[in-house]
Coordinates of all heavy atoms in Angstrom, one line a residue:
M1 N -54.0 130.7 10.2 CA -53.1 131.5 9.6 C -53.5 132.0 8.1 O -54.4 131.4 7.6 CB -51.8 130.7 9.3 CG -51.1 130.2 10.5 SD -50.4 131.4 11.6 CE -48.8 131.8 10.8
A2 N -53.0 133.0 7.7 CA -53.5 133.6 6.4 C -52.3 134.0 5.6 O -51.4 134.7 6.0 CB -54.4 134.8 6.6
N3 N -52.2 133.6 4.3 CA -51.2 134.0 3.4 C -51.6 135.2 2.8 O -52.7 135.5 2.1 CB -51.0 132.9 2.2 CG -50.1 131.8 2.6 OD1 -49.1 132.2 3.2 ND2 -50.3 130.6 2.2
I4 N -50.7 136.3 3.0 CA -51.0 137.6 2.5 C -49.9 137.9 1.4 O -48.7 137.7 1.6 CB -50.9 138.7 3.6 CG1 -51.8 138.3 4.7 CG2 -51.2 140.1 3.0 CD1 -53.3 138.3 4.5
T5 N -50.3 138.5 0.3 CA -49.3 138.8 -0.7 C -49.3 140.4 -0.8 O -50.3 141.0 -1.0 CB -49.7 138.3 -2.1 OG1 -49.8 136.8 -2.1 CG2 -48.7 138.7 -3.2
Y6 N -48.0 140.9 -0.6 CA -47.7 142.3 -0.6 C -46.9 142.4 -1.9 O -45.9 141.7 -2.1 CB -46.8 142.7 0.6 CG -47.4 142.5 1.9 CD1 -47.3 141.3 2.7 CD2 -48.1 143.5 2.5 CE1 -47.8 141.2 4.0 CE2 -48.7 143.5 3.8 CZ -48.5 142.2 4.5 OH -49.0 142.2 5.8
I7 N -47.4 143.4 -2.6 CA -46.7 143.7 -3.9 C -46.1 145.1 -3.9 O -46.9 146.1 -3.7 CB -47.6 143.5 -5.2 CG1 -48.2 142.1 -5.1 CG2 -46.7 143.7 -6.5 CD1 -49.2 142.0 -6.2
E8 N -44.8 145.3 -4.0 CA -44.1 146.5 -3.9 C -44.4 147.2 -5.3 O -44.8 146.7 -6.3 CB -42.5 146.4 -3.8 CG -42.3 145.9 -2.3 CD -40.7 145.9 -2.2 OE1 -40.1 146.8 -2.5 OE2 -40.2 144.8 -1.9
H9 N -44.2 148.5 -5.3 CA -44.5 149.3 -6.5 C -43.7 148.7 -7.8 O -44.4 148.8 -8.9 CB -44.2 150.8 -6.3 CG -44.8 151.6 -7.5 ND1 -46.1 151.9 -7.7 CD2 -44.1 152.2 -8.4 CE1 -46.2 152.6 -8.8 NE2 -45.0 152.8 -9.2
D10 N -42.6 148.4 -7.5 CA -41.8 147.8 -8.7 C -42.1 146.4 -9.0 O -41.5 145.7 -9.9 CB -40.3 147.9 -8.4 CG -39.9 147.0 -7.2 OD1 -40.7 146.3 -6.6 OD2 -38.7 147.1 -6.8
G11 N -43.2 145.7 -8.4 CA -43.6 144.4 -8.8 C -43.1 143.4 -7.9 O -43.5 142.2 -8.1
R12 N -42.2 143.6 -7.0 CA -41.6 142.5 -6.1 C -42.8 142.0 -5.2 O -43.5 142.8 -4.6 CB -40.5 143.1 -5.3 CG -39.1 142.8 -5.8 CD -38.0 143.3 -5.0 NE -38.0 144.9 -5.1 CZ -37.0 145.6 -4.6 NH1 -36.1 144.9 -3.9 NH2 -37.1 146.9 -4.6
R13 N -42.9 140.8 -5.1 CA -43.9 140.2 -4.3 C -43.3 139.5 -3.1 O -42.4 138.8 -3.1 CB -44.7 139.1 -5.1 CG -45.3 139.6 -6.5 CD -45.7 138.4 -7.2 NE -47.0 137.8 -6.8 CZ -48.2 138.2 -7.2 NH1 -48.3 139.1 -8.1 NH2 -49.3 137.6 -6.7
H14 N -44.1 139.6 -2.0 CA -43.8 139.0 -0.8 C -45.1 138.2 -0.2 O -46.0 138.8 0.0 CB -43.5 140.1 0.3 CG -42.4 141.0 -0.2 ND1 -41.0 140.8 0.1 CD2 -42.4 142.1 -0.9 CE1 -40.3 141.8 -0.4 NE2 -41.1 142.6 -1.0
V15 N -44.9 136.9 -0.1 CA -46.1 136.1 0.4 C -45.8 135.8 1.7 O -44.6 135.1 2.1 CB -46.4 134.8 -0.5 CG1 -47.5 134.2 0.1 CG2 -46.6 135.3 -1.9
I16 N -46.5 136.3 2.7 CA -46.2 136.1 4.1 C -47.3 135.4 4.8 O -48.5 135.8 4.6 CB -46.0 137.5 4.9 CG1 -45.0 138.5 4.1 CG2 -45.5 137.3 6.3 CD1 -43.5 138.0 4.1
N17 N -47.0 134.4 5.6 CA -47.9 133.7 6.3 C -48.2 134.4 7.8 O -47.2 134.3 8.6 CB -47.6 132.2 6.4 CG -48.7 131.2 7.0 OD1 -48.6 130.7 8.0 ND2 -49.8 131.2 6.1
L18 N -49.3 134.9 7.9 CA -49.6 135.7 9.2 C -50.6 135.0 10.1 O -51.6 134.6 9.7 CB -49.9 137.0 8.8 CG -48.8 137.9 8.0 CD1 -49.4 139.2 7.5 CD2 -47.7 138.1 9.0
A19 N -50.5 135.2 11.4 CA -51.4 134.8 12.4 C -52.5 135.8 12.5 O -52.3 137.0 12.3 CB -50.7 134.7 13.8
P20 N -53.7 135.5 12.7 CA -54.8 136.4 12.9 C -54.5 137.3 14.1 O -53.9 136.8 15.1 CB -56.0 135.4 13.2 CG -55.7 134.2 12.4 CD -54.2 134.1 12.5
G21 N -55.0 138.5 14.1 CA -54.9 139.4 15.1 C -53.9 140.4 14.9 O -54.1 141.6 15.3
K22 N -52.9 140.3 14.0 CA -52.0 141.3 13.7 C -52.6 142.2 12.6 O -53.7 141.7 12.0 CB -50.7 140.8 13.0 CG -49.8 140.1 14.0 CD -48.4 139.9 13.5 CE -47.5 139.4 14.5 NZ -46.2 140.0 14.4
T23 N -52.2 143.4 12.3 CA -52.7 144.2 11.2 C -51.9 143.8 10.1 O -50.8 143.4 10.1 CB -52.6 145.7 11.6 OG1 -51.3 146.1 11.7 CG2 -53.4 146.0 12.8
L24 N -52.4 144.3 8.9 CA -51.7 144.0 7.6 C -50.3 144.8 7.7 O -49.3 144.5 7.1 CB -52.5 144.7 6.5 CG -53.6 143.9 5.8 CD1 -54.2 144.6 4.7 CD2 -52.9 142.6 5.3
M25 N -50.4 146.1 8.4 CA -49.2 146.9 8.6 C -48.1 146.2 9.4 O -47.0 146.0 9.0 CB -49.5 148.2 9.1 CG -48.3 149.2 9.3 SD -47.4 148.7 11.0 CE -48.4 149.6 12.2
E26 N -48.5 145.6 10.4 CA -47.6 144.9 11.3 C -47.0 143.6 10.6 O -45.9 143.3 10.8 CB -48.3 144.4 12.7 CG -48.7 145.5 13.5 CD -49.7 145.2 14.7 OE1 -50.4 144.2 14.6 OE2 -49.6 145.9 15.7
G27 N -47.8 143.0 9.8 CA -47.3 141.8 9.2 C -46.2 142.1 8.2 O -45.3 141.4 8.0
A28 N -46.3 143.4 7.5 CA -45.3 143.8 6.6 C -44.0 144.2 7.4 O -43.0 143.8 7.1 CB -45.7 144.9 5.7
R29 N -44.2 145.0 8.4 CA -43.2 145.5 9.2 C -42.4 144.5 9.9 O -41.2 144.5 9.8 CB -43.7 146.5 10.3 CG -42.8 147.2 11.2 CD -43.3 147.7 12.4 NE -43.9 146.7 13.3 CZ -44.8 146.9 14.2 NH1 -45.2 148.1 14.5 NH2 -45.4 146.0 14.9
D30 N -43.0 143.5 10.4 CA -42.4 142.4 11.3 C -41.6 141.5 10.3 O -40.8 140.6 10.7 CB -43.3 141.6 12.1 CG -44.0 142.5 13.1 OD1 -43.7 143.6 13.3 OD2 -45.1 142.0 13.8
N31 N -42.0 141.6 9.0 CA -41.3 140.6 8.0 C -40.4 141.3 7.0 O -40.1 140.8 5.9 CB -42.3 139.8 7.3 CG -42.9 138.8 8.2 OD1 -42.3 137.7 8.6 ND2 -44.1 139.1 8.8
N32 N -40.2 142.6 7.4 CA -39.1 143.4 6.5 C -39.7 143.6 5.1 O -38.8 143.6 4.1 CB -37.8 142.9 6.6 CG -37.2 142.9 8.0 OD1 -37.3 143.9 8.7 ND2 -36.6 141.7 8.4
V33 N -41.0 143.7 5.0 CA -41.6 144.0 3.6 C -41.3 145.5 3.4 O -42.0 146.2 4.1 CB -43.0 143.5 3.5 CG1 -43.6 143.9 2.1 CG2 -43.0 142.0 3.7
A34 N -40.7 145.9 2.3 CA -40.5 147.3 2.0 C -41.9 147.8 1.4 O -42.6 147.0 0.9 CB -39.4 147.5 1.0
G35 N -42.1 149.1 1.6 CA -43.2 149.7 0.8 C -44.3 150.1 1.8 O -45.3 150.7 1.4
I36 N -44.2 149.8 3.1 CA -45.2 150.2 4.1 C -44.4 151.0 5.2 O -43.7 150.3 5.9 CB -46.1 149.1 4.7 CG1 -47.0 148.5 3.6 CG2 -46.9 149.6 5.8 CD1 -47.8 147.3 3.9
V37 N -44.5 152.2 5.2 CA -43.6 153.0 6.0 C -44.1 153.1 7.6 O -43.3 152.8 8.4 CB -43.5 154.5 5.5 CG1 -42.4 155.2 6.4 CG2 -42.9 154.3 4.0
A38 N -45.4 153.4 7.6 CA -46.0 153.3 8.9 C -45.3 154.3 10.1 O -45.0 153.9 11.1 CB -46.0 151.9 9.6
D39 N -45.1 155.5 9.7 CA -44.5 156.4 10.5 C -45.2 156.6 12.0 O -44.4 156.8 12.9 CB -44.4 157.8 9.8 CG -43.4 158.0 8.8 OD1 -42.4 157.3 9.0 OD2 -43.4 158.8 7.9
C40 N -46.4 156.5 12.0 CA -47.1 156.7 13.2 C -47.3 155.3 14.2 O -47.7 155.4 15.2 CB -48.4 157.3 13.1 SG -49.8 156.2 12.5
G41 N -46.7 154.3 13.5 CA -46.8 153.0 14.3 C -48.1 152.4 14.4 O -48.3 151.5 15.3
G42 N -49.2 152.8 13.6 CA -50.4 152.1 13.7 C -51.5 152.9 14.3 O -52.7 152.4 14.6
A43 N -51.2 154.3 14.7 CA -52.3 155.1 15.3 C -53.2 155.8 14.4 O -53.9 156.7 14.8 CB -51.5 156.1 16.1
C44 N -53.2 155.4 13.1 CA -54.1 156.0 12.2 C -53.9 157.6 12.1 O -54.7 158.3 12.0 CB -55.5 155.8 12.4 SG -56.6 155.9 11.0
A45 N -52.7 157.9 12.1 CA -52.2 159.3 12.0 C -51.2 159.7 11.1 O -50.6 160.9 11.1 CB -51.9 159.7 13.5
C46 N -50.9 159.0 10.1 CA -49.9 159.4 9.2 C -50.1 159.1 7.6 O -49.7 159.7 6.7 CB -48.5 158.7 9.5 SG -48.5 156.9 9.2
S47 N -50.9 158.0 7.3 CA -51.2 157.5 6.1 C -50.0 157.0 5.2 O -50.2 156.8 4.2 CB -52.0 158.6 5.2 OG -51.1 159.5 4.7
T48 N -49.1 156.7 6.0 CA -47.8 156.0 5.2 C -47.9 154.6 5.2 O -46.9 153.9 4.8 CB -46.4 156.5 5.8 OG1 -46.3 156.2 7.1 CG2 -46.4 158.2 5.6
C49 N -48.9 153.9 5.7 CA -49.1 152.6 5.6 C -50.2 152.3 4.4 O -50.8 151.2 4.4 CB -49.6 152.0 6.8 SG -51.3 152.6 7.4
H50 N -50.4 153.2 3.6 CA -51.4 153.2 2.6 C -51.1 152.0 1.5 O -50.0 151.7 1.1 CB -51.3 154.4 1.7 CG -52.2 154.7 0.6 ND1 -51.9 155.4 -0.6 CD2 -53.2 154.0 0.2 CE1 -52.7 155.4 -1.4 NE2 -53.7 154.4 -1.0
V51 N -52.2 151.2 1.3 CA -52.0 150.1 0.3 C -53.3 150.2 -0.6 O -54.4 150.7 -0.2 CB -52.0 148.8 1.0 CG1 -50.8 148.6 1.8 CG2 -53.2 148.4 1.9
Y52 N -53.2 149.6 -1.7 CA -54.3 149.4 -2.7 C -54.6 147.9 -2.6 O -53.9 146.9 -2.7 CB -53.9 149.6 -4.0 CG -53.4 151.1 -4.4 CD1 -52.1 151.4 -4.6 CD2 -54.3 152.2 -4.3 CE1 -51.6 152.6 -4.8 CE2 -53.8 153.4 -4.6 CZ -52.5 153.7 -4.7 OH -52.0 155.0 -5.0
I53 N -56.0 147.7 -2.1 CA -56.4 146.4 -2.1 C -56.9 145.8 -3.4 O -57.4 146.4 -4.3 CB -57.8 146.3 -1.2 CG1 -57.5 147.0 0.2 CG2 -58.4 145.0 -1.0 CD1 -56.5 146.3 1.0
D54 N -56.4 144.5 -3.7 CA -56.8 143.9 -5.0 C -58.3 143.9 -5.1 O -59.0 143.7 -4.2 CB -56.3 142.5 -4.9 CG -56.6 141.7 -6.3 OD1 -55.6 142.0 -7.1 OD2 -57.6 141.0 -6.5
E55 N -58.7 144.3 -6.3 CA -60.1 144.5 -6.6 C -61.0 143.4 -6.2 O -62.1 143.5 -5.6 CB -60.2 144.6 -8.2 CG -61.6 144.8 -8.8 CD -61.9 146.3 -8.7 OE1 -61.0 147.1 -9.0 OE2 -63.1 146.7 -8.5
S56 N -60.5 142.1 -6.2 CA -61.4 141.0 -5.8 C -61.6 140.9 -4.3 O -62.4 140.1 -3.9 CB -60.8 139.7 -6.4 OG -59.5 139.5 -5.7
W57 N -60.8 141.7 -3.6 CA -60.9 141.6 -2.1 C -61.6 142.8 -1.5 O -61.9 142.8 -0.3 CB -59.5 141.5 -1.5 CG -59.0 140.2 -1.6 CD1 -58.3 139.4 -2.6 CD2 -59.3 138.9 -0.6 NE1 -58.1 138.2 -2.3 CE2 -58.6 137.9 -1.1 CE3 -59.9 139.0 0.6 CZ2 -58.7 136.7 -0.3 CZ3 -60.0 138.0 1.4 CH2 -59.4 136.7 0.9
V58 N -61.9 143.8 -2.2 CA -62.4 145.1 -1.7 C -63.6 144.9 -0.8 O -63.8 145.3 0.2 CB -62.7 146.1 -2.8 CG1 -63.4 147.2 -2.3 CG2 -61.4 146.6 -3.4
E59 N -64.6 144.1 -1.4 CA -65.9 143.8 -0.7 C -65.8 142.9 0.4 O -66.7 142.8 1.2 CB -66.9 143.3 -1.8 CG -67.2 144.3 -2.9 CD -67.7 145.6 -2.5 OE1 -68.5 145.7 -1.4 OE2 -67.4 146.7 -3.1
K60 N -64.7 142.1 0.7 CA -64.6 141.1 1.5 C -64.0 141.7 2.8 O -64.0 141.0 4.0 CB -63.8 139.9 1.1 CG -64.2 139.3 -0.2 CD -63.3 138.2 -0.7 CE -63.9 137.7 -1.9 NZ -62.7 136.8 -2.5
L61 N -63.5 142.8 2.8 CA -62.8 143.4 4.1 C -63.8 144.2 4.8 O -64.8 144.7 4.3 CB -61.7 144.4 3.6 CG -60.6 143.6 2.8 CD1 -59.4 144.5 2.6 CD2 -60.0 142.4 3.7
P62 N -63.5 144.4 6.2 CA -64.4 145.3 7.0 C -64.4 146.7 6.3 O -63.4 147.1 5.8 CB -63.6 145.2 8.3 CG -62.8 144.1 8.3 CD -62.4 143.8 6.9
P63 N -65.5 147.4 6.5 CA -65.6 148.6 5.9 C -64.7 149.7 6.5 O -64.2 149.6 7.6 CB -67.1 149.1 6.1 CG -67.5 148.2 7.1 CD -66.7 147.0 7.3
V64 N -64.4 150.8 5.8 CA -63.6 151.8 6.2 C -64.3 152.8 7.3 O -65.5 153.0 7.1 CB -63.2 152.9 5.0 CG1 -62.3 154.0 5.5 CG2 -62.5 152.0 3.9
D65 N -63.8 152.8 8.4 CA -64.4 153.8 9.3 C -64.1 155.3 9.2 O -63.2 155.5 8.3 CB -64.2 153.4 10.8 CG -62.8 153.6 11.3 OD1 -62.1 154.3 10.6 OD2 -62.4 153.1 12.3
E66 N -64.7 156.1 9.9 CA -64.7 157.4 9.7 C -63.2 158.0 9.8 O -62.6 158.8 9.1 CB -65.5 158.3 10.6 CG -65.9 159.7 10.1 CD -66.8 160.3 11.0 OE1 -67.8 159.6 11.5 OE2 -66.6 161.6 11.3
T67 N -62.5 157.5 10.8 CA -61.1 158.0 11.2 C -60.2 157.6 10.0 O -59.4 158.4 9.5 CB -60.5 157.4 12.4 OG1 -61.6 157.6 13.5 CG2 -59.2 158.0 12.9
E68 N -60.3 156.3 9.6 CA -59.5 155.9 8.4 C -59.8 156.7 7.2 O -58.9 157.2 6.5 CB -59.6 154.4 8.2 CG -58.8 153.9 7.1 CD -59.1 152.4 6.8 OE1 -59.8 151.7 7.5 OE2 -58.5 151.9 5.8
R69 N -61.0 157.0 6.9 CA -61.6 157.8 5.8 C -60.8 159.1 5.8 O -60.3 159.6 4.8 CB -63.0 157.8 5.7 CG -63.6 158.4 4.3 CD -65.0 158.4 4.3 NE -65.7 157.1 4.7 CZ -65.8 156.1 3.9 NH1 -65.2 156.1 2.7 NH2 -66.3 155.0 4.3
D70 N -60.9 159.8 6.9 CA -60.4 161.0 7.0 C -58.8 161.1 6.8 O -58.3 161.9 6.1 CB -60.6 161.8 8.6 CG -62.0 162.1 8.7 OD1 -62.8 162.1 7.7 OD2 -62.2 162.3 9.7
M71 N -58.1 160.0 7.3 CA -56.7 160.0 7.2 C -56.4 159.6 5.7 O -55.3 160.1 5.3 CB -56.1 159.0 8.3 CG -54.5 159.1 8.3 SD -53.9 160.7 8.5 CE -54.7 161.3 10.0
L72 N -57.2 158.9 5.0 CA -56.9 158.5 3.7 C -56.8 159.7 2.6 O -56.2 159.6 1.7 CB -58.0 157.4 3.1 CG -57.7 156.0 3.4 CD1 -58.9 155.2 3.1 CD2 -56.5 155.5 2.7
E73 N -57.5 160.8 3.1 CA -57.5 161.9 2.3 C -56.0 162.6 2.3 O -55.6 163.3 1.3 CB -58.4 163.1 2.8 CG -59.8 162.7 2.7 CD -60.7 163.8 3.3 OE1 -60.3 164.9 3.5 OE2 -61.9 163.4 3.4
F74 N -55.1 162.2 3.1 CA -53.8 162.6 3.2 C -52.8 161.6 2.4 O -51.6 161.9 2.4 CB -53.3 162.9 4.6 CG -54.0 164.0 5.3 CD1 -55.1 163.6 6.1 CD2 -53.7 165.3 5.0 CE1 -55.8 164.6 6.7 CE2 -54.4 166.3 5.7 CZ -55.5 166.0 6.6
A75 N -53.4 160.5 2.1 CA -52.6 159.5 1.3 C -52.1 160.0 0.1 O -52.8 160.8 -0.6 CB -53.3 158.3 1.3
D76 N -50.9 159.5 -0.5 CA -50.6 159.9 -1.8 C -51.3 159.1 -2.9 O -51.4 157.9 -2.8 CB -49.1 159.7 -2.0 CG -48.4 160.5 -3.1 OD1 -48.6 161.6 -3.2 OD2 -47.7 159.7 -3.9
E77 N -51.9 159.8 -3.8 CA -52.6 159.1 -4.9 C -53.6 158.0 -4.4 O -53.6 156.9 -4.9 CB -51.7 158.4 -5.9 CG -50.7 159.5 -6.6 CD -49.9 158.8 -7.7 OE1 -50.4 158.1 -8.6 OE2 -48.6 159.1 -7.6
P78 N -54.5 158.4 -3.6 CA -55.6 157.6 -3.0 C -56.5 157.2 -4.2 O -56.7 157.9 -5.0 CB -56.3 158.4 -2.0 CG -56.2 159.9 -2.4 CD -54.7 159.9 -3.0
D79 N -57.1 156.0 -4.2 CA -57.9 155.5 -4.9 C -59.2 155.3 -4.2 O -59.3 154.5 -3.2 CB -57.5 154.1 -5.6 CG -58.5 153.5 -6.6 OD1 -59.7 153.3 -6.2 OD2 -58.2 153.2 -7.7
A80 N -60.3 156.0 -4.6 CA -61.6 155.9 -3.7 C -62.1 154.6 -3.5 O -62.7 154.3 -2.4 CB -62.6 156.8 -4.4
R81 N -61.8 153.6 -4.4 CA -62.4 152.3 -4.2 C -61.4 151.3 -3.6 O -61.6 150.4 -2.7 CB -62.8 151.7 -5.5 CG -63.4 150.3 -5.5 CD -64.1 150.0 -6.8 NE -64.2 148.5 -6.9 CZ -65.0 147.8 -6.3 NH1 -65.8 148.3 -5.3 NH2 -65.1 146.6 -6.5
L82 N -60.1 151.4 -3.8 CA -59.1 150.4 -3.5 C -58.2 150.8 -2.3 O -57.6 150.0 -1.7 CB -58.1 150.1 -4.8 CG -58.9 149.7 -6.0 CD1 -57.7 149.4 -7.0 CD2 -59.7 148.4 -5.9
S83 N -58.2 152.0 -2.0 CA -57.2 152.5 -0.9 C -57.7 152.2 0.5 O -58.8 152.3 0.8 CB -56.9 154.0 -1.0 OG -56.2 154.4 -2.2
R84 N -56.7 151.7 1.2 CA -56.9 151.5 2.7 C -55.7 151.8 3.5 O -54.6 151.8 3.0 CB -57.4 149.9 2.9 CG -58.6 149.5 2.4 CD -59.8 150.1 2.9 NE -60.0 150.0 4.4 CZ -60.7 149.0 5.0 NH1 -61.5 148.2 4.2 NH2 -60.7 149.0 6.3
L85 N -55.9 151.9 4.7 CA -54.7 152.1 5.7 C -54.4 150.6 6.2 O -55.2 150.2 7.0 CB -54.9 153.2 6.7 CG -55.1 154.6 6.1 CD1 -55.4 155.5 7.3 CD2 -53.9 154.9 5.3
S86 N -53.2 150.1 6.0 CA -53.0 148.7 6.4 C -53.0 148.6 7.8 O -53.1 147.4 8.3 CB -51.7 148.3 5.7 OG -50.6 149.1 6.0
C87 N -52.7 149.7 8.6 CA -52.7 149.5 10.2 C -54.2 149.4 10.6 O -54.3 149.1 11.8 CB -52.0 150.7 10.8 SG -52.9 152.3 10.7
Q88 N -55.1 149.6 9.8 CA -56.5 149.5 10.2 C -57.2 148.3 9.9 O -58.4 148.1 10.1 CB -57.2 150.7 9.8 CG -56.8 152.2 10.2 CD -56.7 152.2 11.8 OE1 -57.7 152.1 12.4 NE2 -55.5 152.3 12.4
I89 N -56.5 147.3 9.3 CA -57.1 146.0 8.9 C -56.5 144.9 9.7 O -55.3 144.6 9.5 CB -56.9 145.9 7.5 CG1 -57.5 147.0 6.5 CG2 -57.4 144.5 7.0 CD1 -57.2 146.9 5.1
K90 N -57.3 144.3 10.6 CA -56.8 143.1 11.4 C -57.0 142.0 10.5 O -58.0 141.7 10.0 CB -57.6 143.1 12.7 CG -57.0 143.8 13.8 CD -57.3 143.2 15.1 CE -56.4 143.6 16.2 NZ -56.6 145.0 16.7
I91 N -55.9 141.1 10.6 CA -55.9 139.9 9.9 C -56.8 138.9 10.5 O -56.8 138.6 11.6 CB -54.5 139.3 9.7 CG1 -53.6 140.4 8.7 CG2 -54.5 138.1 8.9 CD1 -52.3 140.2 8.8
T92 N -57.6 138.2 9.6 CA -58.4 137.0 10.0 C -58.1 135.9 9.1 O -57.6 136.0 8.0 CB -59.9 137.3 9.9 OG1 -60.2 137.5 8.5 CG2 -60.4 138.5 10.7
E93 N -58.5 134.6 9.6 CA -58.3 133.4 8.8 C -59.0 133.7 7.4 O -58.5 133.2 6.3 CB -58.9 132.2 9.4 CG -58.4 132.0 10.7 CD -57.1 131.1 10.7 OE1 -56.7 130.7 9.4 OE2 -56.4 130.8 11.7
A94 N -60.1 134.4 7.3 CA -60.9 134.6 6.1 C -60.2 135.5 5.2 O -60.4 135.5 3.9 CB -62.2 135.3 6.4
M95 N -59.0 136.0 5.5 CA -58.2 136.9 4.7 C -57.1 136.0 3.9 O -56.2 136.6 3.2 CB -57.7 138.1 5.3 CG -58.6 139.1 5.8 SD -58.0 140.6 6.6 CE -59.5 141.1 7.3
D96 N -57.2 134.7 4.1 CA -56.2 133.9 3.3 C -56.2 134.2 1.8 O -57.3 134.0 1.3 CB -56.4 132.4 3.7 CG -55.4 131.6 3.2 OD1 -54.1 132.0 3.1 OD2 -55.7 130.5 2.7
G97 N -55.0 134.6 1.3 CA -55.1 134.8 -0.2 C -55.2 136.4 -0.5 O -55.1 136.7 -1.7
L98 N -55.3 137.2 0.5 CA -55.4 138.6 0.3 C -54.2 139.2 -0.4 O -53.1 138.8 -0.2 CB -55.7 139.3 1.6 CG -55.6 140.9 1.6 CD1 -56.9 141.4 0.7 CD2 -55.7 141.3 3.0
I99 N -54.4 140.0 -1.4 CA -53.4 140.7 -2.2 C -53.5 142.2 -2.0 O -54.6 142.8 -2.2 CB -53.5 140.3 -3.6 CG1 -53.5 138.9 -3.9 CG2 -52.3 141.0 -4.5 CD1 -53.7 138.4 -5.3
V100 N -52.3 142.9 -1.7 CA -52.3 144.3 -1.6 C -51.1 144.8 -2.3 O -50.1 144.2 -2.4 CB -52.3 144.8 -0.1 CG1 -53.6 144.3 0.7 CG2 -51.0 144.4 0.7
K101 N -51.3 146.1 -2.9 CA -50.1 146.6 -3.5 C -49.8 148.0 -3.0 O -50.7 148.6 -2.4 CB -50.6 146.9 -5.0 CG -50.8 145.6 -5.9 CD -51.3 146.0 -7.2 CE -51.6 144.7 -7.8 NZ -52.6 144.8 -9.0
M102 N -48.5 148.3 -2.9 CA -48.1 149.5 -2.3 C -47.9 150.6 -3.3 O -47.5 150.4 -4.4 CB -46.7 149.3 -1.5 CG -47.0 148.6 -0.1 SD -47.2 146.8 -0.4 CE -45.5 146.1 0.0
P103 N -48.2 151.9 -2.9 CA -48.0 153.0 -3.8 C -46.5 153.4 -4.1 O -45.7 153.1 -3.2 CB -48.7 154.2 -3.1 CG -48.7 153.8 -1.7 CD -48.6 152.3 -1.5
Q104 N -46.3 154.0 -5.2 CA -45.0 154.5 -5.5 C -44.3 155.4 -4.4 O -43.1 155.2 -4.2 CB -45.0 155.2 -6.8 CG -43.6 155.6 -7.2 CD -43.6 156.2 -8.7 OE1 -44.6 156.6 -9.2 NE2 -42.5 156.0 -9.3
S105 N -45.2 156.2 -3.8 CA -44.7 157.1 -2.8 C -44.0 156.4 -1.7 O -43.2 157.0 -0.9 CB -45.7 158.0 -2.3 OG -46.7 157.3 -1.7
Q106 N -44.3 155.2 -1.5 CA -43.7 154.5 -0.2 C -42.6 153.4 -0.7 O -42.2 152.6 0.0 CB -44.8 153.6 0.5 CG -45.8 154.6 1.2 CD -47.2 154.1 1.5 OE1 -48.0 154.8 1.7 NE2 -47.2 152.7 1.7
T107 N -42.1 153.8 -1.9 CA -41.1 153.0 -2.4 C -39.7 153.2 -1.6 O -39.4 154.3 -1.3 CB -40.7 153.1 -3.9 OG1 -41.9 152.9 -4.6 CG2 -39.6 152.3 -4.4
A108 N -39.0 152.1 -1.2 CA -37.8 152.4 -0.3 C -36.8 153.1 -1.3 O -36.6 152.8 -2.4 CB -37.3 151.1 0.1
A109 N -36.0 154.0 -0.6 CA -35.1 154.9 -1.4 C -33.8 154.0 -1.7 O -33.6 152.9 -1.0 CB -34.6 155.9 -0.6
Ligands
FES201 S1 -49.4 153.6 10.3 FE1 -49.8 155.5 10.4 S2 -51.8 155.6 9.6 FE2 -51.3 153.5 9.6

């Protein structure tokens, strides 16, 4: 299991214990964490699952592939170093302690 901390744009934190194999997006969606919209359901076709990876974790995650990189161009306020699509990151035990922040554009109304 891996403890993942999701931080909403307003600072609300959600620490969720997740089984390996799910994606970061599914972990948020299945636990009612606001701030990850995921309109396309994980097909890498919407960019509404955009998150900013905590600086200390950027190098520890699998690299961005071409499809994710293309879709990140449509994300709101992307950060070239920190932005990822949470539906493209599969959780592993090694991600225990991972921290991600959600952008303002995905703030729940
Ligand atoms: S859920 Fe649509 S790109 Fe991730």
